[in-house]
Amino acid sequence: MAKRKIAQGEIPADVMAEILRMLQKIRFGEVILTAQDGVLIQIEWSEKLRLDCWGDQREKADWPPGTIRCVAGHIRQEFAHLQFGRLVIVVKQGNVLQMERTEKQRFTGMYGEGI
């Protein structure tokens, strides 16, 4: 299997489509995108089952096209600025509530190479 080459700050269309599918399936949870050297290297997905909403679980939400474009645009914008770190997309009650970008700073030449 050939390795996929992804440019810095890029989220390929097929990968973005999968991220959006994950987000629409989650009632409570998060999708985490990990960047190394500005390149998307990993996607994690976690879902929480909230006891206060037990029995209120639902199937995949069908977002309107405008919502899909808006969420995808925000994800692309936030991820484009990430060199080393993670973009956490938080979902509550089936809606994207917030994005948390954690940037790691790499230092060389101090007490050895890197941190």
PDB file of all heavy atoms in Angstrom, residues 13-34:
ATOM      1  N   ALA A  13      -9.916  16.069   0.810  1.00  0.00           N
ATOM      2  CA  ALA A  13     -11.382  16.056   0.758  1.00  0.00           C
ATOM      3  C   ALA A  13     -11.977  14.765   1.309  1.00  0.00           C
ATOM      4  O   ALA A  13     -12.962  14.803   2.061  1.00  0.00           O
ATOM      5  CB  ALA A  13     -11.843  16.290  -0.679  1.00  0.00           C
ATOM      6  N   ASP A  14     -11.393  13.611   0.977  1.00  0.00           N
ATOM      7  CA  ASP A  14     -11.949  12.349   1.471  1.00  0.00           C
ATOM      8  C   ASP A  14     -11.769  12.205   2.979  1.00  0.00           C
ATOM      9  O   ASP A  14     -12.627  11.651   3.667  1.00  0.00           O
ATOM     10  CB  ASP A  14     -11.370  11.145   0.725  1.00  0.00           C
ATOM     11  CG  ASP A  14      -9.857  11.006   0.879  1.00  0.00           C
ATOM     12  OD1 ASP A  14      -9.161  12.031   1.004  1.00  0.00           O
ATOM     13  OD2 ASP A  14      -9.372   9.861   0.848  1.00  0.00           O
ATOM     14  N   VAL A  15     -10.673  12.741   3.501  1.00  0.00           N
ATOM     15  CA  VAL A  15     -10.434  12.702   4.945  1.00  0.00           C
ATOM     16  C   VAL A  15     -11.404  13.652   5.647  1.00  0.00           C
ATOM     17  O   VAL A  15     -11.983  13.310   6.683  1.00  0.00           O
ATOM     18  CB  VAL A  15      -8.964  13.049   5.270  1.00  0.00           C
ATOM     19  CG1 VAL A  15      -8.740  13.144   6.765  1.00  0.00           C
ATOM     20  CG2 VAL A  15      -8.031  12.017   4.643  1.00  0.00           C
ATOM     21  N   MET A  16     -11.604  14.853   5.076  1.00  0.00           N
ATOM     22  CA  MET A  16     -12.555  15.801   5.660  1.00  0.00           C
ATOM     23  C   MET A  16     -13.958  15.204   5.674  1.00  0.00           C
ATOM     24  O   MET A  16     -14.693  15.348   6.651  1.00  0.00           O
ATOM     25  CB  MET A  16     -12.556  17.115   4.892  1.00  0.00           C
ATOM     26  CG  MET A  16     -13.545  18.140   5.452  1.00  0.00           C
ATOM     27  SD  MET A  16     -13.279  18.602   7.187  1.00  0.00           S
ATOM     28  CE  MET A  16     -11.920  19.743   6.989  1.00  0.00           C
ATOM     29  N   ALA A  17     -14.344  14.506   4.605  1.00  0.00           N
ATOM     30  CA  ALA A  17     -15.663  13.875   4.550  1.00  0.00           C
ATOM     31  C   ALA A  17     -15.819  12.861   5.681  1.00  0.00           C
ATOM     32  O   ALA A  17     -16.879  12.783   6.313  1.00  0.00           O
ATOM     33  CB  ALA A  17     -15.877  13.213   3.191  1.00  0.00           C
ATOM     34  N   GLU A  18     -14.767  12.106   5.971  1.00  0.00           N
ATOM     35  CA  GLU A  18     -14.820  11.123   7.062  1.00  0.00           C
ATOM     36  C   GLU A  18     -14.897  11.824   8.418  1.00  0.00           C
ATOM     37  O   GLU A  18     -15.637  11.394   9.309  1.00  0.00           O
ATOM     38  CB  GLU A  18     -13.611  10.193   7.008  1.00  0.00           C
ATOM     39  CG  GLU A  18     -13.641   9.090   8.028  1.00  0.00           C
ATOM     40  CD  GLU A  18     -14.841   8.164   7.912  1.00  0.00           C
ATOM     41  OE1 GLU A  18     -15.374   7.974   6.799  1.00  0.00           O
ATOM     42  OE2 GLU A  18     -15.282   7.633   8.953  1.00  0.00           O
ATOM     43  N   ILE A  19     -14.148  12.906   8.597  1.00  0.00           N
ATOM     44  CA  ILE A  19     -14.205  13.679   9.848  1.00  0.00           C
ATOM     45  C   ILE A  19     -15.631  14.181  10.067  1.00  0.00           C
ATOM     46  O   ILE A  19     -16.181  14.077  11.167  1.00  0.00           O
ATOM     47  CB  ILE A  19     -13.204  14.855   9.810  1.00  0.00           C
ATOM     48  CG1 ILE A  19     -11.772  14.331   9.858  1.00  0.00           C
ATOM     49  CG2 ILE A  19     -13.469  15.832  10.957  1.00  0.00           C
ATOM     50  CD1 ILE A  19     -10.714  15.365   9.524  1.00  0.00           C
ATOM     51  N   LEU A  20     -16.240  14.721   9.025  1.00  0.00           N
ATOM     52  CA  LEU A  20     -17.605  15.239   9.133  1.00  0.00           C
ATOM     53  C   LEU A  20     -18.606  14.119   9.432  1.00  0.00           C
ATOM     54  O   LEU A  20     -19.549  14.308  10.205  1.00  0.00           O
ATOM     55  CB  LEU A  20     -17.990  15.995   7.864  1.00  0.00           C
ATOM     56  CG  LEU A  20     -17.205  17.291   7.652  1.00  0.00           C
ATOM     57  CD1 LEU A  20     -17.416  17.820   6.239  1.00  0.00           C
ATOM     58  CD2 LEU A  20     -17.564  18.340   8.696  1.00  0.00           C
ATOM     59  N   ARG A  21     -18.403  12.922   8.864  1.00  0.00           N
ATOM     60  CA  ARG A  21     -19.261  11.771   9.183  1.00  0.00           C
ATOM     61  C   ARG A  21     -19.134  11.402  10.662  1.00  0.00           C
ATOM     62  O   ARG A  21     -20.126  11.124  11.332  1.00  0.00           O
ATOM     63  CB  ARG A  21     -18.903  10.564   8.304  1.00  0.00           C
ATOM     64  CG  ARG A  21     -19.609  10.566   6.959  1.00  0.00           C
ATOM     65  CD  ARG A  21     -19.459   9.230   6.246  1.00  0.00           C
ATOM     66  NE  ARG A  21     -18.087   8.961   5.826  1.00  0.00           N
ATOM     67  CZ  ARG A  21     -17.554   9.404   4.690  1.00  0.00           C
ATOM     68  NH1 ARG A  21     -18.251  10.148   3.865  1.00  0.00           N
ATOM     69  NH2 ARG A  21     -16.310   9.112   4.382  1.00  0.00           N
ATOM     70  N   MET A  22     -17.896  11.400  11.168  1.00  0.00           N
ATOM     71  CA  MET A  22     -17.676  11.096  12.582  1.00  0.00           C
ATOM     72  C   MET A  22     -18.411  12.099  13.465  1.00  0.00           C
ATOM     73  O   MET A  22     -19.079  11.720  14.424  1.00  0.00           O
ATOM     74  CB  MET A  22     -16.179  11.155  12.909  1.00  0.00           C
ATOM     75  CG  MET A  22     -15.355  10.054  12.370  1.00  0.00           C
ATOM     76  SD  MET A  22     -13.617  10.399  12.785  1.00  0.00           S
ATOM     77  CE  MET A  22     -12.801   9.200  11.780  1.00  0.00           C
ATOM     78  N   LEU A  23     -18.251  13.382  13.144  1.00  0.00           N
ATOM     79  CA  LEU A  23     -18.867  14.426  13.954  1.00  0.00           C
ATOM     80  C   LEU A  23     -20.390  14.310  13.973  1.00  0.00           C
ATOM     81  O   LEU A  23     -21.023  14.562  14.998  1.00  0.00           O
ATOM     82  CB  LEU A  23     -18.458  15.809  13.441  1.00  0.00           C
ATOM     83  CG  LEU A  23     -17.000  16.190  13.671  1.00  0.00           C
ATOM     84  CD1 LEU A  23     -16.651  17.460  12.908  1.00  0.00           C
ATOM     85  CD2 LEU A  23     -16.711  16.358  15.153  1.00  0.00           C
ATOM     86  N   GLN A  24     -20.988  13.903  12.880  1.00  0.00           N
ATOM     87  CA  GLN A  24     -22.443  13.787  12.808  1.00  0.00           C
ATOM     88  C   GLN A  24     -22.962  12.554  13.541  1.00  0.00           C
ATOM     89  O   GLN A  24     -24.142  12.493  13.897  1.00  0.00           O
ATOM     90  CB  GLN A  24     -22.902  13.761  11.346  1.00  0.00           C
ATOM     91  CG  GLN A  24     -22.711  15.110  10.665  1.00  0.00           C
ATOM     92  CD  GLN A  24     -23.100  15.071   9.211  1.00  0.00           C
ATOM     93  OE1 GLN A  24     -24.292  15.077   8.903  1.00  0.00           O
ATOM     94  NE2 GLN A  24     -22.112  15.024   8.325  1.00  0.00           N
ATOM     95  N   LYS A  25     -22.092  11.577  13.792  1.00  0.00           N
ATOM     96  CA  LYS A  25     -22.496  10.364  14.517  1.00  0.00           C
ATOM     97  C   LYS A  25     -22.443  10.545  16.028  1.00  0.00           C
ATOM     98  O   LYS A  25     -23.109   9.830  16.771  1.00  0.00           O
ATOM     99  CB  LYS A  25     -21.572   9.189  14.155  1.00  0.00           C
ATOM    100  CG  LYS A  25     -21.792   8.629  12.793  1.00  0.00           C
ATOM    101  CD  LYS A  25     -20.841   7.464  12.579  1.00  0.00           C
ATOM    102  CE  LYS A  25     -20.966   6.887  11.202  1.00  0.00           C
ATOM    103  NZ  LYS A  25     -20.007   5.789  10.987  1.00  0.00           N
ATOM    104  N   ILE A  26     -21.629  11.481  16.487  1.00  0.00           N
ATOM    105  CA  ILE A  26     -21.381  11.649  17.922  1.00  0.00           C
ATOM    106  C   ILE A  26     -22.473  12.500  18.563  1.00  0.00           C
ATOM    107  O   ILE A  26     -22.826  13.556  18.051  1.00  0.00           O
ATOM    108  CB  ILE A  26     -20.007  12.330  18.153  1.00  0.00           C
ATOM    109  CG1 ILE A  26     -18.877  11.457  17.633  1.00  0.00           C
ATOM    110  CG2 ILE A  26     -19.805  12.646  19.629  1.00  0.00           C
ATOM    111  CD1 ILE A  26     -17.528  12.131  17.673  1.00  0.00           C
ATOM    112  N   ARG A  27     -22.984  12.038  19.682  1.00  0.00           N
ATOM    113  CA  ARG A  27     -23.920  12.846  20.472  1.00  0.00           C
ATOM    114  C   ARG A  27     -23.135  13.687  21.477  1.00  0.00           C
ATOM    115  O   ARG A  27     -23.359  14.868  21.619  1.00  0.00           O
ATOM    116  CB  ARG A  27     -24.899  11.910  21.183  1.00  0.00           C
ATOM    117  CG  ARG A  27     -25.909  12.600  22.018  1.00  0.00           C
ATOM    118  CD  ARG A  27     -27.164  12.917  21.231  1.00  0.00           C
ATOM    119  NE  ARG A  27     -28.172  13.411  22.165  1.00  0.00           N
ATOM    120  CZ  ARG A  27     -28.753  14.576  22.017  1.00  0.00           C
ATOM    121  NH1 ARG A  27     -28.486  15.343  21.008  1.00  0.00           N
ATOM    122  NH2 ARG A  27     -29.642  14.976  22.898  1.00  0.00           N
ATOM    123  N   PHE A  28     -22.205  13.057  22.201  1.00  0.00           N
ATOM    124  CA  PHE A  28     -21.281  13.731  23.110  1.00  0.00           C
ATOM    125  C   PHE A  28     -19.904  13.118  22.878  1.00  0.00           C
ATOM    126  O   PHE A  28     -19.775  11.905  22.891  1.00  0.00           O
ATOM    127  CB  PHE A  28     -21.668  13.509  24.587  1.00  0.00           C
ATOM    128  CG  PHE A  28     -22.940  14.180  24.995  1.00  0.00           C
ATOM    129  CD1 PHE A  28     -24.148  13.506  24.912  1.00  0.00           C
ATOM    130  CD2 PHE A  28     -22.927  15.480  25.461  1.00  0.00           C
ATOM    131  CE1 PHE A  28     -25.329  14.105  25.280  1.00  0.00           C
ATOM    132  CE2 PHE A  28     -24.109  16.096  25.839  1.00  0.00           C
ATOM    133  CZ  PHE A  28     -25.311  15.411  25.746  1.00  0.00           C
ATOM    134  N   GLY A  29     -18.889  13.927  22.680  1.00  0.00           N
ATOM    135  CA  GLY A  29     -17.540  13.407  22.487  1.00  0.00           C
ATOM    136  C   GLY A  29     -16.663  14.383  21.744  1.00  0.00           C
ATOM    137  O   GLY A  29     -16.906  15.594  21.766  1.00  0.00           O
ATOM    138  N   GLU A  30     -15.656  13.831  21.061  1.00  0.00           N
ATOM    139  CA  GLU A  30     -14.712  14.699  20.360  1.00  0.00           C
ATOM    140  C   GLU A  30     -13.984  13.947  19.260  1.00  0.00           C
ATOM    141  O   GLU A  30     -13.862  12.730  19.298  1.00  0.00           O
ATOM    142  CB  GLU A  30     -13.711  15.312  21.338  1.00  0.00           C
ATOM    143  CG  GLU A  30     -12.937  14.306  22.143  1.00  0.00           C
ATOM    144  CD  GLU A  30     -12.202  14.913  23.328  1.00  0.00           C
ATOM    145  OE1 GLU A  30     -12.614  15.976  23.837  1.00  0.00           O
ATOM    146  OE2 GLU A  30     -11.200  14.321  23.748  1.00  0.00           O
ATOM    147  N   VAL A  31     -13.540  14.719  18.294  1.00  0.00           N
ATOM    148  CA  VAL A  31     -12.667  14.228  17.235  1.00  0.00           C
ATOM    149  C   VAL A  31     -11.376  15.025  17.365  1.00  0.00           C
ATOM    150  O   VAL A  31     -11.409  16.257  17.484  1.00  0.00           O
ATOM    151  CB  VAL A  31     -13.300  14.414  15.835  1.00  0.00           C
ATOM    152  CG1 VAL A  31     -12.302  14.070  14.736  1.00  0.00           C
ATOM    153  CG2 VAL A  31     -14.553  13.560  15.703  1.00  0.00           C
ATOM    154  N   ILE A  32     -10.243  14.328  17.366  1.00  0.00           N
ATOM    155  CA  ILE A  32      -8.948  14.972  17.577  1.00  0.00           C
ATOM    156  C   ILE A  32      -8.076  14.771  16.341  1.00  0.00           C
ATOM    157  O   ILE A  32      -7.854  13.642  15.911  1.00  0.00           O
ATOM    158  CB  ILE A  32      -8.226  14.388  18.813  1.00  0.00           C
ATOM    159  CG1 ILE A  32      -9.118  14.531  20.048  1.00  0.00           C
ATOM    160  CG2 ILE A  32      -6.872  15.058  19.007  1.00  0.00           C
ATOM    161  CD1 ILE A  32      -8.624  13.749  21.246  1.00  0.00           C
ATOM    162  N   LEU A  33      -7.587  15.886  15.793  1.00  0.00           N
ATOM    163  CA  LEU A  33      -6.663  15.851  14.659  1.00  0.00           C
ATOM    164  C   LEU A  33      -5.272  16.176  15.193  1.00  0.00           C
ATOM    165  O   LEU A  33      -5.092  17.166  15.891  1.00  0.00           O
ATOM    166  CB  LEU A  33      -7.060  16.889  13.603  1.00  0.00           C
ATOM    167  CG  LEU A  33      -8.520  16.897  13.155  1.00  0.00           C
ATOM    168  CD1 LEU A  33      -8.726  17.961  12.088  1.00  0.00           C
ATOM    169  CD2 LEU A  33      -8.948  15.543  12.658  1.00  0.00           C
ATOM    170  N   THR A  34      -4.293  15.351  14.859  1.00  0.00           N
ATOM    171  CA  THR A  34      -2.924  15.539  15.333  1.00  0.00           C
ATOM    172  C   THR A  34      -2.025  15.927  14.172  1.00  0.00           C
ATOM    173  O   THR A  34      -2.051  15.291  13.116  1.00  0.00           O
ATOM    174  CB  THR A  34      -2.396  14.250  15.997  1.00  0.00           C
ATOM    175  OG1 THR A  34      -3.289  13.882  17.058  1.00  0.00           O
ATOM    176  CG2 THR A  34      -1.000  14.453  16.560  1.00  0.00           C
TER     177      THR A  34
END
